Amino acid sequence: MASWIAELQEIVGREDVLTDPERLLAYECDGLSIHKHPPAAVVFPESAEEVVGIVKVLWRHRVPFLARGAGTGLSGGAVAVEGGVILELARMNHILEIDYANRLAVVEPGVINLMLTRAVADAGYFYAPDPSSQMACTLGGNVAENAGGPHCLKYGMTVHHVLGLDVVLPNGEVVTLGGHGTDAVGYDLLGLFVGSEGTFGIVTKITVRLTRQPQAVKTLLADFLSVEDTSRAVSAIIAAGILPSALEMMDRATIEAVEASVYAAGLPTDAAAVLLIELDGLAASVEHEAERIVELCRTNGARQVIVARDEAERARLWAGRKGAFGALGRISPDLMVQDAVIPRSTLPEVLPEVYRIAARYGLRMANVFHAGDGNLHPNICFDGRDSDEVRRVKEACREIMELCVRVGGTLTGEHGIGLDKIAYMPLVFTDDDLEAMARVRAVFDPEGLCNPGKVLPVRRCRAF
Amino acid sequence: MTLQGADRIEQELVSIVGEANVLRPAPEAYAIDDRHPSFVVFPGTSEEVAAILRLAHAQELAVVPMGSGRRLSFGNLLERADILLSTRRMTRILEYEPADLTASVEAGCALEAFNRAALPHRQWLPFDPPDANRATLGGIAAADDFGPLRHGYGRPRDSVIGLEVVQADGTRIRAGGRVVKNVTGYDLNKLFVGSFGTLGVLVRVHFKLRPYPEAEATSLFLDSEWERLESGARQILQSELLPAALVLANEEAMSALLPDYPRKALLARFLEMAPAVVYQVERVKALARSLSLEFVELRDEASRSIWEKLGRLHRLLSTDLRLRLSVLPARTVEAFCAGERALGETLARLHILAQPGTGIVHIGGKLPIEDEPTLSLVVQAIRHLRTMWAAHRGRVIVEHAPPEIKRRVDVWGEVGASLPLMRALKHAFDPKRILSPGRFVAGL
Amino acid sequence: MAVARALAHEAEKLLACIHCGLCLSACPTYLQLGDENDSPRGRLYLMRAVAEGRLPMTSEALARHIDLCLGCRACETVCPSGVRYGRVLEAMRADLARERLTLGQRGARFLLNHVFTSPMRLRWIFAPTRWLRRRPFARRLAEGGLLPARLKLALELLLATSPEADSIFTLPRERRPSPSASARGEGRRVAFFAGCVARELFEQTNRATKEVLMAHGCEVEDPPDQVCCGALHAHAGELETARALARRNVRVFERCAAEALVVNVAGCGAMLKEYGELLAGDPEYAERARAFAARVRDISEYLIEIGLRPGSRPVGLTVTYDAPCHLHHAQRVTTAPLELIRRIPGITFVPLVESEICCGSAGIYNLRHPELADRLLHRKLEHLRRTGADVVLTGNAGCLMHLRRGVRRAGLSIRVMHPIELLALTYE
């Protein structure tokens, strides 16, 4: 047994260091299960002090490590690609402080996203970023990935809602980033850290902004007979200067899967696609905007636009949307979810092309995505046991990425680069760009121990 | 720099940007605090900026990037300033696709010019930093420079989606992209926005835009004490109302803004669909009645004009010293009252503008004389406020002050445990310390 | 290497899991332990590893983490991909049961296969316990420190079944609500599934159920030769015994010309509704079992279906509801109990936070893993305490015992009842 294992056991107790290979299996992949790399150990800290202790041991022994929350990420980010140790933060799940007067909450990284919103709902607040996995994913993971979600169209991403972080750097030093409610001075290390995919250090405390619940919410469902019309309606809404709180598209394959699942929402299974549009804010403006949107959908070929009658119907529509990715699992044994962003105005030209690429490779595809900010999520249904199909999936993914970059888009809007998209990084960034990123990484992690093998490609024997 | 050396450098600069775009020496108007740069250059393209930086890097010349120069005195005293690099000629709007709600501009593009171009599409960049009428978008990004609209729209940092930056050695890099949602690689936008020209020269900026509001109005509550105004602010913040800006102003500030109402005031700006503006004004009017506060309503142009004036207040009142406090929002009033106590005796025409929703407080005033006792009183007051507010996570930044004060106190205050990371970043991006050396925190 | 026989049948169901992780926060053991091996996704991953030959059946990790599963099936309620976790788990447990058993498991297996299969033997076994639970010394014994922990726990649970436990609510034996005038002519016939343990220890709940049914104009048939539903067997991997019991119940209830087969224990109801699948491979019984399952209704479900008619006597209580996993998750009966409760006259209803999360009872889980069961119970009691309710209602025998024991030990003044008992009180 490596000596560092004994040292870890001393910190958290023998039971809370997993080294039995059989018990490490469950930790070999995250929400994107095509990347499988078992860690050397999993350790369960319960306090910031324990995290510091663990990191110091691993730093001293030069053992690579990474933090993991619920493992719902979709880029292979929470996988120990170079072996090493996973710090599972699920037990650090306490809400430490809720301060309505200053509209903030202080939480541990293992707190589940939705639990925070539930904790403040009765007081009239919510935590705005709402990734589709919000019922399971942790806020620590959200910080690492700069998670988005349907409502970030209006409310912004995680980075816009994090006010402060306590971070254990890879050498075990503890720093505070941001002011935990006030403006810090100096470089925006807080903004830089959010979305660094766990490669800059491990978060032990998070201060987030709480948002006041809007006076009015209106949820509309528009159904269309062609994907092109649907895309045009999206562009028309954005160009009209309306900023819905969410503007989501689901195509027919997705609708069928959702309707067959526990999240069936009563979506029309004969539509080519639907838009789920939500407006919130003051009742006076929501009413007005809803009318405009109905009109814009109609002029762009919507067959029908319905308004959710009550909170229950609204909740059902959203449950259907958020369960869509998982529901697609019923189509085939494996599912590859892609994540790319394009300028919104190019949606009508890009989306049909994405379908054509899938068809060319003989793959089944379902699209469910954040249309309002041009964030595509093509889902490819396949069987991982069929090696030829796996090859075609990979090639199609690359073509889709190239297409999106060509029209001025980028590789990922919310899932992160992780392990999955490293190879595509040069499509977007030059060597100089990547080298600048590598310099930043080296500032935080000079020894390259913290979640190595993620985000930046390795070339000529050096990490970019 | 020897005279011959300076001549050679001038020749090289001229060869890069042309004779008409090099000034030597810098005219008085280009002085930064009490320092006079040797050259002012006006590159027209990012390639020219890169060439200037390659030259500066090779010769180890200190380069200070500037937009309109509005904020040049924001920061510690520069250690050196050889070349003042102005983006005045780089004013183009490079891409603007209204259906994308995004735009790309050259760094020297003026905020006002851009918003004029976007207005026909009912879109805008909701920034209102001090002297907004002169501000360039590159400058706003470099200083993450905000005004009262931060309350409703966030900081410019939250609207920047991409950058093109010339690094200290002249290589150009891109950060982010042109799409509104992007987690591809590290977000270097965050590194450069708010770095005050100490890590690179911003040459292009990509923004996400916002729909331009259909209507606007400003409601004012007036009173002689803070208590009920603060209560009004708190009630607005806890209600369904969505003010774009919410500001408490003292008598001195109000007498410059609205001479007919030289009293303490709470200003709430509403930018929304017309019926929503009407609704909100009615709601706050009722609130004023319930608090027995005097109420004034300004619509459209009158509303716009008071906020525009508010952005120039420090000029209207010829301010010598301006502090920015950042405290937890619930302590806003407490913070400026403490500031008033600490500086009230020393400063003349002390004015206060505070945002109870964000905890940002501006205190400004005029130094009656710049003698030793006055200066040391000011320095003491700053230190006192810093110590006092550090216990509550508060910060005190000196946004504007005479060089004599800057010599005695770090304008940024303490950084804390993350300073080594910042030093390392500075070293990683500007190892020769040629970019605005000394200006940033802890003299980086 | 042992072949995963039962699991092999469920391989397609395993593949339905795409590892999205939405189940994690629904899983009580994961919420407590934070170890993915103790989450539905993790357990499925281990099972998939067995099916793929990457993990041997003899694996310690497999045995341990499969054993620690409550079988509450909360994961099924949130699984967008429709993984039939309960089925896969039972198959895995059946394979493991063939593989090796601990002494405790052997004992449990003996009881399941030789006692729970026979109403007569059950009666003999439970007779002394019924006597015991009325004896004051039993309570002293449970409160004292003499008994070994496991035995003490069992005694506490037994005492929690005692009708005296919530005596203010005990129905007078002689009172029988008479069918109302409008109900009399309806002539609905229902068969009542009494449950093996319930028949022995929850006479009061069963009586209340029958009385309420009669008040709704139902003629109630209670076949004396019905047997245990087989749920305990299936959960423990004793699938063959479970099938034998199922066949017998199918035969017994085929003789009843009832429109519905009403059950008041969530765990039994869930099992009965799954007879179709349990006997799908039996040509003689497959169709009959499906017909049987189609008639099964939870009492709350049935009453709402035929039109609930509460009595007129208000109860004047603040009430909350804890959803039994096998009603909420396994049967997906989620709104009927709430509707029933809300319509009891004189009720102030307060929702219970995490009411859909397991209390730790989970069949005989609390006896087998008392420490973890107690942690879950503690979490539940904290939420209960915050409701300020007088009564918590839950429609499952195991949950009733587990919660009553917990409430008593924590010194809370909350009564624990089956919803039907409270409803029965409203009839004059």
Side-chain angles (χ1 to χ4, degrees), chain B residues 161 202 217 236 246 270 380 396 439:
Chain B
I161 56 172
L202 312 188
I236 289 173
L246 195 63
F270 299 107
Q380 264 173 35
V396 181
R439 184 180 186 183

Side-chain angles (χ1 to χ4, degrees), chain B residues 366-418:
Chain B
K366 203 169 158 42
L367 290 170
I369 36 165
E370 274 196 43
D371 62 358
E372 184 51 41
T374 310
L375 292 175
S376 76
L377 277 176
V378 169
V379 168
Q380 264 173 35
I382 293 168
R383 290 201 181 120
H384 165 72
L385 286 173
R386 278 184 177 156
T387 319
M388 176 176 174
W389 285 94
H392 307 292
R393 306 177 216 170
R395 304 283 186 166
V396 181
I397 293 175
V398 183
E399 277 197 10
H400 180 75
E404 278 313 312
I405 287 180
K406 291 192 185 183
R407 259 185 265 284
R408 295 161 199 232
V409 65
D410 185 320
V411 307
W412 303 99
E414 285 287 314
V415 177
S418 56

Side-chain angles (χ1 to χ4, degrees), chain B residues 185-415:
Chain B
Y186 301 129
D187 186 2
L188 297 190
N189 292 318
K190 299 293 187 293
L191 184 62
F192 292 108
V193 172
S195 68
F196 284 80
T198 59
L199 294 177
V201 180
L202 312 188
V203 287
R204 286 182 181 183
V205 192
H206 309 283
F207 289 102
K208 65 175 175 189
L209 313 178
R210 301 293 187 116
Y212 190 77
E214 190 178 279
E216 107 154 78
T218 296
S219 302
L220 283 99
F221 293 4
L222 299 156
D223 200 13
S224 52
E225 297 301 326
W226 288 120
E227 199 183 333
R228 280 183 296 176
L229 294 173
E230 185 186 15
S231 162
R234 195 167 51 235
Q235 289 188 47
I236 289 173
L237 287 169
Q238 286 169 2
S239 74
E240 79 285 8
L241 302 178
L242 301 169
L246 195 63
V247 166
L248 289 161
N250 71 347
E251 293 89 342
E252 193 65 47
M254 283 305 291
S255 60
L257 294 173
L258 276 183
D260 293 346
Y261 300 98
R263 312 176 56 189
K264 294 186 173 73
L266 170 68
L267 297 83
R269 185 180 192 184
F270 299 107
L271 300 168
E272 273 280 350
M273 296 262 169
V277 168
V278 171
Y279 167 80
Q280 297 191 91
V281 170
E282 287 308 311
R283 276 277 281 118
V284 292
K285 196 187 276 178
L287 176 63
R289 256 199 311 275
S290 76
L291 290 166
S292 316
L293 288 166
E294 196 180 335
F295 179 83
V296 177
E297 180 189 334
L298 305 171
R299 284 198 178 272
D300 306 319
E301 196 43 51
S303 167
R304 260 189 296 282
S305 117
I306 191 172
W307 292 99
E308 185 267 334
K309 235 170 160 178
L310 193 142
R312 289 185 290 119
L313 189 68
H314 56 290
R315 286 187 197 286
L316 298 173
L317 296 170
S318 3
T319 305
D320 298 323
L321 179 78
R322 192 166 193 243
L323 305 185
R324 180 206 288 176
L325 279 66
S326 169
V327 297
L328 289 171
R331 291 182 179 268
T332 306
V333 174
E334 193 188 326
F336 66 67
C337 289
E340 200 173 14
R341 276 196 305 276
L343 288 159
E345 302 280 300
T346 326
L347 287 190
R349 303 170 83 171
L350 183 139
H351 58 270
I352 294 167
L353 294 174
Q355 304 183 24
T358 63
I360 296 293
V361 172
H362 280 105
I363 301 175
K366 203 169 158 42
L367 290 170
I369 36 165
E370 274 196 43
D371 62 358
E372 184 51 41
T374 310
L375 292 175
S376 76
L377 277 176
V378 169
V379 168
Q380 264 173 35
I382 293 168
R383 290 201 181 120
H384 165 72
L385 286 173
R386 278 184 177 156
T387 319
M388 176 176 174
W389 285 94
H392 307 292
R393 306 177 216 170
R395 304 283 186 166
V396 181
I397 293 175
V398 183
E399 277 197 10
H400 180 75
E404 278 313 312
I405 287 180
K406 291 192 185 183
R407 259 185 265 284
R408 295 161 199 232
V409 65
D410 185 320
V411 307
W412 303 99
E414 285 287 314
V415 177

Side-chain angles (χ1 to χ4, degrees), chain C residues 342-353:
Chain C
R342 282 173 200 273
R343 287 178 56 193
I344 295 177
I347 285 280
T348 310
F349 184 79
V350 281
L352 175 66
V353 174

Side-chain angles (χ1 to χ4, degrees), chain A residues 102-103 180 182-183 187-188 199 212 215 241 282 288 341 344-345 370 375 408 410 412 414 428 433 439, chain B residues 100 150 157 167 173-174 178 180-181 183-184 186 198 211 237-238 273 279-280 326 329-330 393 395 428:
Chain A
N102 290 305
R103 294 195 181 198
H180 287 288
T182 58
D183 289 356
Y187 299 128
D188 181 8
T199 62
R212 185 99 197 134
Q215 180 187 34
L282 293 160
H288 185 82
V341 195
R344 297 172 265 213
S345 60
H370 314 302
N375 188 183
T410 194
T412 168
E414 53 184 14
V428 183
D433 301 342
R439 259 183 280 149
Chain B
D100 286 333
R150 169 175 170 171
R157 171 245 207 200
Q167 302 191 90
I173 58 169
R174 287 188 314 138
R178 291 185 292 148
V180 293
K181 204 173 169 190
V183 293
T184 310
Y186 301 129
T198 59
L237 287 169
Q238 286 169 2
M273 296 262 169
Y279 167 80
Q280 297 191 91
S326 169
R393 306 177 216 170
R395 304 283 186 166

Side-chain angles (χ1 to χ4, degrees), chain C residues 188-249:
Chain C
R188 291 184 179 280
R189 290 182 67 180
V190 299
F192 178 60
F193 185 84
C196 56
V197 178
R199 201 193 271 288
E200 300 306 320
L201 296 177
F202 288 86
E203 313 93 304
Q204 169 186 302
T205 314
N206 280 2
R207 200 165 66 239
T209 306
K210 288 182 191 173
E211 284 163 359
V212 169
L213 282 169
M214 285 189 281
H216 283 77
C218 299
E219 193 181 307
V220 184
E221 203 175 338
D222 179 358
D225 47 350
Q226 57 176 299
V227 290
C228 168
C229 64
L232 290 174
H233 308 80
H235 301 332
E238 296 295 332
L239 285 176
E240 276 319 312
T241 315
R243 289 194 182 102
L245 291 166
R247 288 190 196 95
R248 170 132 177 219
N249 278 328

Side-chain angles (χ1 to χ4, degrees), chain C residues 294-362:
Chain C
R295 284 199 296 166
V296 178
R297 296 286 184 282
D298 181 72
I299 177 68
S300 63
E301 198 181 9
Y302 183 68
L303 291 176
I304 296 300
E305 214 171 281
I306 64 168
L308 178 73
R309 288 193 299 264
S312 55
R313 193 168 71 180
V315 296
L317 291 167
T318 302
V319 168
T320 190
Y321 172 66
D322 190 39
C325 299
H326 280 86
L327 194 58
H328 190 95
H329 302 298
Q331 298 185 50
R332 306 268 159 86
V333 175
T334 54
T335 55
L338 284 170
E339 196 183 333
L340 183 149
I341 292 165
R342 282 173 200 273
R343 287 178 56 193
I344 295 177
I347 285 280
T348 310
F349 184 79
V350 281
L352 175 66
V353 174
E354 293 191 349
S355 84
E356 73 292 347
I357 289 190
C358 182
C359 63
S361 161

